[in-house]
Every structure is written in C-alpha cells, then in structure tokens.
Amino acid sequence: MSRLEGRVAIVTGGGHGIGKAYAHRLAQEGAAIVVAELDGEAGSAVAQELVAGGHRALAIQTDVSNPDSVKRMAASAVEHFGKIDILVNNAAIFATVPMSRAAFDQISIEEWDRMMSVNLKGAWLASLAVIPHMRERSYGKIINISSSTAIKGSPGRIHYVASKAGVLGFTKTLANEVGAHNICVNCVAPGSTLSEESPDAGTLKMRNDAASVRALKRVQAPQDLTGAVVFFASPDSDFITGQTLVVDGGNCLH
Ligand SMILES: NC(=O)c1ccc[n+]([C@@H]2O[C@H](COP(=O)([O-])OP(=O)(O)OC[C@H]3O[C@@H](n4cnc5c(N)ncnc54)[C@H](O)[C@@H]3O)[C@@H](O)[C@H]2O)c1
C-alpha cells in the first residue's frame, strides 16, 4: 500500500462523501493530502483524522468556483508540501451542497449557472491553478470526476448531468493540451453511490433501486471508487490519458 509514497495530492471537495474516501485511500497509499473543501470545518476534520492516522495532511478552505481561492489552494499546497503531483477534481454541487432533482423546465437560471460554475468551471479553475506547478516538474496526474448519468442520460437534474457531460470533453481536451508536459488527465464516472452521511428513506430507496439494475447487484459505496482514482494517480497508468472509467458495478456498459 505505498504506490504513492512521496506524492502530494489535492482532493477538492474532500471533506465529505466520496471525496473523503479518496483522501483517506490516497493517504494510505503514501500521498500527502491537501483537503480543499468549501466546508472548512469538515475539511479540517478530515485533515486531522489523517494526521492522527500518521499521514501528512493539510486542510485549505477552498471554493473551486473562485479563481483567487483556487490560486491560494495551489500556493498553500506548494508552500506546505513543496509540490503538487495529483489533483482530484471531485468538488461538486450534489449532496452536501444539494441540487434540485427537478425536470428541465423546473430549474432556475441561477441554479443552472451555479451548477456550471462549481462542477465544470471549478475543474478548469483548479487545473489552471495547479498545472503551472506540474509543468515545472514535467509530471502530473489530474483525475476529474464525472458521472455515469452523463454517459447514459438520466431524467431530472439536467443541469447536473450537463455539467458532468462537460467534464468528459474537458478531460479529453486538457489531456491533449498538457500531454507534452507529461501530465495525464483522466476521468472517473461513478454510478449511483451511497455517499450521504445521514441518508433519508428516499435516498436509501434511490440507491437500492440503482443496485437492482446493475450487473453487480449491491449498493455502491464510496470505497468502490477509490481503486480507480489510485490507479489513475499511480505509475500504473503512466501511458493512459484522456480516458473515462465508469465505476458503477455494470449498469452503464459502453
Ligand atoms: N454519490 C453519487 O451517487 C455520485 C454519482 C456520480 C458522480 N458523483 C460525483 O462524485 C463527487 C462526490 O460526490 P459525493 O456523492 O461525495 O457528494 P458530496 O456532495 O458529498 O461531495 C461533494 C463535495 O464537494 C464540496 N463542495 C461543494 N461545492 C464546493 C465548492 N464550490 N468548492 C469546494 N468544495 C465544494 C462539498 O462540500 C462536498 O464535500 C461529485 O463530483 C459528484 O458529482 C457522485
């Protein structure tokens, strides 16, 4: 469990849900972790857990939709750990910062704009802030988080699905543009995952319904996604870029 020994990883949205699981798993693999989270208290709690477990970690309160905030995130990471090797663009409006799961004509323009600003522009802004540091050292691993809903289409929350479809194109284009600097850009598309800390009955039903229509008939947990992120962060994927790996237990087969 030391495939990432000596590496430094930023996980945006690492204070809750699946991002928290990425932070823990990357740390177990030896990486120093920067938890870049909008919810400052949650980010600090995750960093403290990691440090208590003997890992190197730092929390930086970050809003990925704000260019100055992500610049501070990258500068603090370099100041504290000396470099940035891995960026996981995981932050999104999803569960912790909730969205309307409404029909296309029931979504407000303000919510559409905020969705794009965090889920899509946020990945671009964080990459913009981090890539100069990766370029300097001719090394980098960027892992964007999309969603299987972007590949198969999903009724309701069209703004979320459209933002996650944008992440697919963003991944391919960025991979082409930074490949010459030995920076790999890949994407993980999770299926419906029980990431909520206190799921209500409706959420549990939704996650159970998703289990019944996949090849592997069980509820998906955050830990089901961490292996794919470690793979894209590790030397095992050094000649793989611009790819999207769907991790959903075999629902969206493409
Ligand atoms: N859970 C699922 O079913 C599922 C399925 C497909 C894709 N995903 C994706 O996986 C990722 C993690 O989702 P999750 O289920 O853990 O949900 P989540 O809502 O718990 O996680 C998102 C995290 O991002 C943070 N965040 C929100 N806005 C931010 C901002 N402006 N700046 C920085 N951080 C911000 C939140 O506080 C939270 O910690 C998201 O990108 C989500 O779209 C989740």
Side-chain angles (χ1 to χ4, degrees):
M1 296 278 275
S2 57
R3 279 190 284 173
L4 304 177
E5 206 58 59
R7 298 293 182 198
V8 177
I10 297 178
V11 181
T12 70
H16 292 281
I18 311 175
K20 183 172 164 178
Y22 295 145
H24 275 274
R25 180 68 199 281
L26 292 167
Q28 283 162 16
E29 295 285 350
I33 306 297
V34 176
V35 184
E37 166 64 54
L38 184 66
D39 178 348
E41 222 170 278
S44 296
V46 171
Q48 277 166 23
E49 283 166 23
L50 292 174
V51 169
H55 306 294
R56 294 184 303 151
L58 172 73
I60 303 168
Q61 205 266 334
T62 306
D63 178 354
V64 295
S65 68
N66 179 318
D68 292 331
S69 180
V70 288
K71 273 185 209 150
R72 275 197 301 277
M73 169 194 83
S76 306
V78 171
E79 191 186 331
H80 206 81
F81 293 123
K83 60 176 184 166
I84 302 164
D85 298 298
I86 299 156
L87 168 66
V88 185
N89 278 317
N90 166 80
I93 293 179
F94 181 73
T96 302
V97 179
M99 65 178 156
S100 311
R101 290 179 176 266
F104 77 97
D105 53 358
Q106 301 299 313
I107 287 164
S108 71
I109 291 172
E110 291 72 26
E111 191 175 327
W112 175 281
D113 287 345
R114 181 71 187 142
M115 186 68 80
M116 294 300 159
S117 183
V118 175
N119 294 19
L120 186 52
K121 190 171 77 179
W124 175 56
L125 291 176
S127 303
L128 267 181
V130 163
I131 285 170
H133 301 285
M134 293 180 162
R135 231 189 241 145
E136 260 175 29
R137 296 174 47 252
S138 293
Y139 184 85
K141 300 279 198 176
I142 297 177
I143 301 134
N144 300 317
I145 306 300
S146 177
S147 166
S148 62
T149 58
I151 294 165
K152 63 182 187 192
S154 183
R157 66 201 149 103
I158 196 168
H159 51 347
Y160 173 78
V161 177
S163 74
K164 291 295 176 178
V167 170
L168 302 175
F170 171 78
T171 298
K172 295 178 196 175
T173 300
L174 190 63
N176 266 303
E177 293 196 17
V178 298
H181 301 281
N182 194 34
I183 300 170
C184 297
V185 186
N186 289 294
C187 179
V188 172
S192 176
T193 305
L194 185 59
S195 64
E196 292 81 5
E197 284 151 11
S198 314
D200 58 19
T203 302
L204 286 172
K205 182 181 180 316
M206 178 174 68
R207 302 293 177 223
N208 276 304
D209 288 350
S212 69
V213 294
R214 54 171 61 112
L216 303 173
K217 303 221 176 285
R218 66 167 172 80
V219 171
Q220 182 164 355
Q223 287 69 25
D224 290 316
L225 288 149
T226 58
V229 165
V230 169
F231 171 66
F232 282 136
S234 79
D236 287 345
S237 60
D238 274 355
F239 205 56
I240 300 175
T241 195
Q243 304 303 310
T244 292
L245 182 57
V246 179
V247 182
D248 72 348
N251 177 12
C252 172
L253 305 173
H254 72 120

